[in-house]
């Protein structure tokens, strides 16, 4: 089976890209796999690409490239949704190259990995191929305009894949897509390198007790709430430390909050996070107060290292991640007292932390590339078996939609 995965930029860096590359490598154990990158801004990818996987760039944005001199390069894209946050990086040349590639694509399965790329897939993907769109972000992170722009093209898909069951249910409720299989498959989080440090019980050797958090320094990550909760931990045990990895517009405000809470020297804004979760190496606990992240990939990276987690429990946050196999504690969103209590529970009980770290490592294995490659294999078999019945449902749904709009058009006339 030939599988093509469509990416925004395979030459960039990030946890989501790293997961996609790991999935491609796992699929390549049994299939012919290629990666198609809409953009290319450097000579060699920053993240390693399995040598069995072909990498095909479509538009070269390196200074001095022939594509930069192409007359369509300076024209804005019209096929990708204007509300997509990466729209400004695309051009009419991207539209042209994506359409040309997809119309001539001979893959059996084509997988898009973000909204804008998914629209290219829906509009130009070969009808003989199964077309699967991944939605790695929460439904709520898409603007109303973007959701409206996705409605029509997404009806042409075979499947829409969210990262949690709660998010899949939200897509089904808010954006009915007759004939499109809407389901959840967790995001791929590769295992840490074999030689990487893992979570340790620092109490055993008298080392510094460390809580680590990671994410964009933006309001939705609620690092302000985490800092307030951490101050309660320090009041009981001043030996604990908090490291927050990430960059963003909230840095100055969080720096002032650290000073205002008297946490200087105990809480640290530790700079950018790494794409492989190395910041969790040696941590005692990972923490998240976020109310925006769909599947908690940062927490999975911690759990894969055997680090127990404390996370907020409003679906579709890390609720499903922790509830499936343990490895952490859940608290309500916006509840600083509960968050502080959970951190204190783990801080005061090294044996509990150790047991929970073991459970975390086991629970996180389901996010590995091999089990998720198997999930996609099963999905492909299901989509093939139901292709005819889904086509009927899609046609009936389209007919009902047109029937509802005709009276409104007649009234306006």
């Amino acid at each position: 089976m030939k599988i093509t995965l469509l990416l925004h930029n395979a030459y960039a860096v990030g946890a989501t890209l790293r997961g996609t590359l790991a999935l491609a490598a796992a699929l390549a154990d049994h299939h012919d796999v290629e990666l198609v990158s809409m953009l290319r801004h450097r000579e060699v990818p920053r993240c390693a690409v399995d040598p069995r996987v072909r990498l095909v760039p479509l538009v070269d944005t390196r200074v001095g490239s022939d594509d930069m001199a192409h007359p369509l390069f300076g024209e804005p894209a019209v096929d990708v949704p204007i509300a997509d946050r990466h729209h400004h990086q695309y051009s009419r040349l991207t539209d042209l190259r994506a359409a040309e590639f997809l119309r001539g694509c001979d893959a059996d399965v084509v997988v898009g990995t973000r909204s804008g790329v998914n629209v290219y897939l829906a509009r130009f993907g070969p009808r003989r191929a199964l077309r699967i769109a991944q939605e790695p972000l929460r439904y709520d992170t898409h603007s109303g305009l973007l959701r409206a722009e996705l409605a029509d093209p997404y009806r042409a898909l075979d499947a829409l894949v969210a990262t949690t069951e709660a998010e899949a249910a939200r897509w089904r409720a808010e954006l009915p897509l007759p004939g499109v299989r809407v389901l959840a498959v967790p995001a791929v989080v590769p295992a840490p390198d074999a030689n990487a440090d893992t979570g340790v019980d620092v109490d055993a050797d008298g080392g510094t007790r460390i809580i680590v958090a990671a994410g964009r320094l933006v309001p939705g990550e609620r690092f302000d709430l985490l800092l307030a909760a951490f101050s309660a931990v320090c009041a009981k045990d001043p030996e604990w430390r908090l490291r927050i990895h990430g960059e963003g517009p909230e840095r100055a405000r969080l720096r002032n909050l650290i000073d205002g809470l008297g946490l200087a020297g105990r809480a640290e804004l530790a700079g950018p996070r790494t794409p492989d979760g190395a910041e969790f190496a040696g941590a005692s606990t990972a923490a998240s107060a976020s109310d925006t992240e769909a599947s908690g990939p940062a927490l999975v990276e911690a759990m894969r290292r055997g680090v127990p987690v404390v996370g907020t429990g409003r679906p579709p946050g890390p609720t499903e991640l922790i509830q499936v196999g343990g490895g952490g504690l859940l608290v309500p969103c916006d509840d600083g007292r509960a968050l502080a209590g959970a951190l204190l529970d783990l801080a005061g009980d090294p044996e509990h932390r150790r047991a929970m770290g073991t459970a975390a490592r086991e629970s996180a294995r389901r996010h590995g590339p091999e089990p998720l490659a198997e999930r996609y294999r099963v999905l492909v078999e299901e989509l093939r078996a139901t292709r005819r019945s889904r086509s009927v449902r899609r046609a009936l749904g389209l007919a009902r939609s047109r029937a509802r709009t005709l009276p409104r058009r007649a009234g306006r006339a």
Side-chain angles (χ1 to χ4, degrees), residues 338-361:
L339 182 60
L343 292 172
L344 283 166
D345 284 347
L346 289 182
D349 193 342
E351 288 298 323
H352 190 199
R353 281 206 310 277
R354 202 159 25 237
M356 197 166 280
T358 300
R361 185 180 286 109

Side-chain angles (χ1 to χ4, degrees), residues 186-404:
V188 175
V189 178
D193 294 337
N195 297 323
D197 292 335
T198 56
V200 296
D201 180 7
V202 293
D203 288 329
D205 58 14
T208 303
R209 301 164 175 85
I210 299 173
I211 299 169
V212 174
R216 285 265 297 156
L217 304 185
V218 294
E221 293 292 340
R222 295 308 312 272
F223 288 121
D224 56 340
L225 188 73
L226 178 59
L227 284 166
F230 177 68
S231 67
V233 176
C234 285
K236 279 211 164 188
D237 187 345
E239 294 300 314
W240 279 88
R241 299 290 182 265
L242 171 66
R243 293 200 312 251
I244 298 174
H245 289 263
E247 294 290 353
E250 289 274 286
R251 169 172 278 276
R253 189 176 81 86
L254 294 174
R255 178 72 263 170
N256 291 336
L257 183 58
I258 288 171
D259 294 338
L261 291 171
L263 296 176
R266 295 187 176 93
E268 173 190 5
L269 299 179
R273 60 167 301 192
T274 65
D276 61 354
E279 58 268 24
F280 294 105
S284 296
T285 305
S288 172
S290 172
D291 59 11
T292 63
E293 194 167 32
S295 60
L299 296 185
V300 181
E301 289 160 0
M303 293 170 73
R304 296 215 71 174
R305 293 173 182 271
V307 179
V309 305
V310 173
T312 47
R314 175 190 298 156
T319 305
E320 294 174 19
L321 169 66
I322 294 173
Q323 285 179 339
V324 166
L329 299 174
L330 287 169
V331 300
C333 281
D334 305 321
D335 191 335
R337 185 185 298 273
L339 182 60
L343 292 172
L344 283 166
D345 284 347
L346 289 182
D349 193 342
E351 288 298 323
H352 190 199
R353 281 206 310 277
R354 202 159 25 237
M356 197 166 280
T358 300
R361 185 180 286 109
E362 290 304 312
S363 177
R365 290 186 193 278
R366 72 189 186 98
H367 284 260
E370 290 78 14
L372 294 182
E374 175 63 13
R375 293 277 294 272
Y376 276 98
R377 184 193 66 78
V378 172
L379 173 60
V380 167
E381 289 184 356
E382 177 190 332
L383 294 176
R384 282 176 169 165
T386 61
R387 193 163 201 167
R388 185 182 298 275
S389 62
R390 288 185 297 101
S391 295
V392 172
R393 290 199 300 273
R394 180 182 290 113
L396 291 174
L398 181 59
R400 284 194 292 267
S401 177
R402 287 174 175 169
R404 286 193 296 268

